[in-house]
Amino acid sequence: MSMEIIENYIDGKLVAPNSNQYIDNFCPSTGEVYAKIPNSDIDDVQKAVESAKNAFPIWKNLSIEKRSSYLYKIADEIENQFDQFAHAETKDNGKPFKLSKHVDIPRAIANFRFYAGAVLHFASESHKGNQDFINYTLREPIGVAACISPWNLPLYLFSWKIAPALATGNTVVAKPSEVTPYTAYLLSKVCQKVGLPNGVLNIVHGIGAKAGHAMVSHPDVPTISFTGGTKTGQNIAKITAPMFKKLSLELGGKNPTIVFEDCQIEEAVKTSVKAAYTNQGEICLCGSRIYVQKSIYQKFKNAFIERMKTLHVGEPMSEDSKIGAIVSKQHYEKILEHIDLAKQEGGKLLFGGKTVQPEGFENGWYIEPTLFENLNESCRTNQEEIFGPVATIQPFENEDEVIQLANSTPYGLSTSIWTNNLAKAHRVAAKVNVGIVWINCWLVRDLRTPFGGMKQSGLGREGGWEAIRFFTEAKNVCVSTQV
Ligand code: NAD
């Protein structure tokens, strides 16, 4: 593999980090270093923030149509380079190529198009009170927004923040995960190609504790949209609270899949296997705690395990691979520790649990889809986010019990509920403390809907008008119609 050098994108130029220090970027399917990424520090962030600050008055005063047209051009150019983006995402993250091709890159394109269109249709409120006064709300861009994203859906989540921030007239300083920087680098080149004005979007690479910390603590960055781990989110909230920054935090999940005896069992099995193991279980919305009503438990469990056998673990570019490589050695080791822990906690291993060495890719990081039973709700395996291909399955007696089980973790991101009883579906949906409920489906996304979690899964919502409201400051203007 040839060594590639990734550069920061600051003030419209691709530049080396101030310190000239780089860190290794690994290809998870082979375990080899294939690129170097800037180990940026506070000086690089300072330059990026200055550039974004200078660009802000120009960008915010462009017509909405003009801003929107830049986002459409970015989307079109990513589409023109579709294969290059899809290959890069798989090489960097280890996810099956099929996912990069059918989910990640199409969604990144859709994010830019969605907000390019949404901002043209957004209208702020007006309130006519009594005869003598009328109120209207101005929604103004805030300034420089920091957009920080994780490694599991790299360009998908990066663009999910950048697109609404730019569409609403903010300028951006963004950092992709240091584990998966490549498609963000390609995005910099796309921005250059479409002539996005200098400084409107700046992409600084590097580690969270250094480059990320410099961004969130910078006094000239009033808005932060962050997706990542709950601990990192807590850290950002602590640092930024005294500065009263506007925060959107999309954090971890430990999501329950709830299967009632009156569901369409084949569909429930098929989709809950997908919910547990898609993208190697590295999706915040994965259903990693599976609760099945007692009367169908045995039947469901057997069918679930049969289906797990079809999940071929292998080199991500292969069409046969349903599960690719784990994103990093560090994360691979963490998942294996969790598998050991589940055994120590008395879990009965029903399937998987071992590493895999695909031929020719023996140094990559692969783990079988894994299923445990016999673990109670208070054990660490059922309380902590593993973020890998590891799930637990457990029977329940009735509706009240499963609601209590579903709500038994500190997280509250999503759930998927399987039943043919309409009233029960709505009842349970209302009682599970999560931000997103799927009934008889999973991971169906409509970009207009509010997206986010309760409890330790986050703060605020993304998606649709929610993101447009987040990235703007509301100003009410009250006018007398008599004077
Ligand atoms: P992470 O918190 O380690 O890192 C996320 C990003 O934050 C990276 O870009 C990282 O460099 C940066 N960062 C780290 N420390 C920082 C700091 N002190 N200040 C500023 N930035 C910092 O998370 P990860 O391991 O990359 O991603 C996995 C986590 O993301 C999981 O917990 C998963 O559930 C969560 N996630 C949540 C959602 C959601 O929408 N709720 C979506 C995807 C992933």
Side-chain angles (χ1 to χ4, degrees):
M1 264 190 243
S2 63
M3 190 64 69
E4 306 203 37
I5 308 289
I6 288 173
E7 302 290 20
N8 288 331
Y9 172 59
I10 299 177
D11 205 32
K13 293 165 218 55
L14 291 172
V15 290
N18 189 52
S19 65
N20 223 17
Q21 282 180 15
Y22 288 81
I23 45 183
D24 290 340
N25 184 33
F26 291 84
C27 171
S29 65
T30 61
E32 286 171 21
V33 177
Y34 82 100
K36 296 277 180 189
I37 77 160
N39 186 357
S40 305
D41 59 26
I42 194 162
D43 291 335
D44 303 294
V45 171
Q46 180 61 28
K47 282 185 196 143
V49 174
E50 272 168 25
S51 168
K53 241 178 108 175
N54 291 337
F56 178 59
I58 305 159
W59 182 247
K60 93 168 178 180
N61 288 321
L62 277 190
S63 68
I64 295 174
E65 289 78 6
K66 188 80 189 152
R67 285 205 305 262
S68 162
S69 78
Y70 277 113
L71 297 195
Y72 277 124
K73 281 186 206 158
I74 292 173
D76 291 348
E77 190 50 37
I78 298 174
E79 199 161 52
N80 289 341
Q81 302 178 28
F82 189 91
D83 282 350
Q84 198 189 347
F85 270 91
H87 276 102
E89 206 67 295
T90 284
K91 189 169 178 180
D92 223 13
N93 171 279
K95 66 177 68 219
F97 186 53
K98 266 191 227 163
L99 283 183
S100 295
K101 228 169 33 174
H102 296 298
V103 179
D104 289 75
I105 305 306
R107 173 60 190 274
I109 294 167
N111 289 340
F112 282 109
R113 290 206 176 122
F114 178 82
Y115 279 107
V119 76
L120 296 176
H121 296 272
F122 185 74
S124 58
E125 312 88 88
S126 82
H127 304 85
K128 177 104 177 69
N130 61 34
Q131 304 255 331
D132 301 340
F133 299 96
I134 183 159
N135 286 277
Y136 65 89
T137 308
L138 291 175
R139 293 235 161 229
E140 297 172 336
I142 303 168
V144 180
C147 297
I148 301 181
S149 59
W151 47 255
N152 63 323
L153 299 163
L155 193 64
Y156 175 134
L157 291 174
F158 200 51
S159 52
W160 185 227
K161 302 177 173 308
I162 291 171
L166 294 182
T168 45
N170 300 278
T171 52
V172 170
V173 173
K175 195 188 88 59
S177 167
E178 60 273 37
V179 184
T180 52
Y182 206 88
T183 46
Y185 175 54
L186 294 179
L187 176 65
S188 329
K189 294 189 185 178
V190 162
C191 292
Q192 286 187 317
K193 187 156 184 204
V194 304
L196 187 71
N198 293 349
V200 167
L201 171 63
N202 301 274
I203 300 176
V204 181
H205 295 272
I207 57 173
K210 196 152 74 172
H213 176 81
M215 273 180 197
V216 298
S217 51
H218 198 293
D220 292 333
V221 177
T223 312
I224 298 161
S225 175
F226 169 82
T227 298
T230 293
K231 280 216 168 76
T232 316
Q234 280 166 341
N235 196 2
I236 293 173
K238 211 184 315 177
I239 289 165
T240 57
M243 294 184 251
F244 303 109
K245 295 192 180 212
K246 212 170 173 189
L247 277 191
S248 165
L249 300 175
E250 298 295 337
L251 310 176
K254 186 76 182 175
N255 311 301
T257 298
I258 300 173
V259 185
F260 286 102
E261 61 193 2
D262 53 13
C263 72
Q264 288 186 30
I265 192 160
E266 274 177 28
E267 199 52 41
V269 168
K270 196 170 113 198
T271 309
S272 40
V273 168
K274 221 164 130 186
Y277 303 114
T278 297
N279 205 45
Q280 301 73 246
E282 296 167 342
I283 304 182
C284 54
L285 305 161
C286 276
S288 54
R289 295 180 290 141
I290 302 151
Y291 299 114
V292 185
Q293 200 154 19
K294 214 165 191 173
S295 57
I296 60 160
Y297 183 73
Q298 211 56 39
K299 184 175 172 195
F300 182 96
K301 185 174 88 177
N302 293 342
F304 191 98
I305 293 169
E306 277 311 301
R307 197 155 181 98
M308 285 179 80
K309 292 179 187 162
T310 68
L311 300 179
H312 176 70
V313 182
E315 191 267 307
M317 286 307 295
S318 159
E319 282 286 308
D320 297 336
S321 298
K322 295 270 190 340
I323 295 188
I326 301 298
V327 74
S328 68
K329 184 157 191 279
Q330 190 192 13
H331 192 54
Y332 168 82
E333 283 164 359
K334 180 192 146 187
I335 296 168
L336 293 176
E337 278 169 23
H338 269 285
I339 291 174
D340 280 345
L341 174 70
K343 291 177 189 162
Q344 284 161 29
E345 289 184 316
K348 179 175 167 201
L349 183 64
L350 296 178
F351 192 86
K354 296 192 295 299
T355 60
V356 178
Q357 286 78 36
E359 204 183 323
F361 294 85
E362 290 81 1
N363 294 325
W365 307 304
Y366 300 87
I367 300 178
E368 289 176 330
T370 299
L371 185 67
F372 284 99
E373 72 174 354
N374 279 355
L375 286 163
N376 67 34
E377 73 267 26
S378 60
C379 72
R380 283 181 55 198
T381 305
N382 274 328
Q383 287 290 316
E384 296 176 14
E385 183 187 45
I386 301 173
F387 216 53
V390 183
T392 63
I393 188 164
Q394 179 178 339
F396 69 88
E397 297 276 356
N398 57 42
E399 200 177 311
D400 286 344
E401 183 194 0
V402 80
I403 290 166
Q404 180 265 319
L405 288 168
N407 288 334
S408 67
T409 76
Y411 295 103
L413 191 52
S414 70
T415 185
S416 102
I417 300 166
W418 292 86
T419 174
N420 273 348
N421 180 326
L422 199 60
K424 180 160 61 184
H426 292 297
R427 218 164 40 229
V428 177
K431 287 183 183 164
V432 182
N433 298 326
V434 292
I436 303 152
V437 178
W438 283 291
I439 296 172
N440 295 328
C441 59
W442 175 74
L443 202 53
V444 178
R445 292 283 297 120
D446 179 326
L447 304 190
R448 294 167 301 179
T449 60
F451 180 90
M454 295 183 182
K455 304 198 288 188
Q456 294 196 13
S457 289
L459 201 66
R461 294 291 181 273
E462 297 186 310
W465 302 142
E466 301 279 345
I468 291 195
R469 291 197 187 99
F470 173 74
F471 283 113
T472 53
E473 200 73 85
K475 181 190 284 177
N476 190 70
V477 181
C478 177
V479 189
S480 163
T481 51
Q482 297 305 312
V483 180

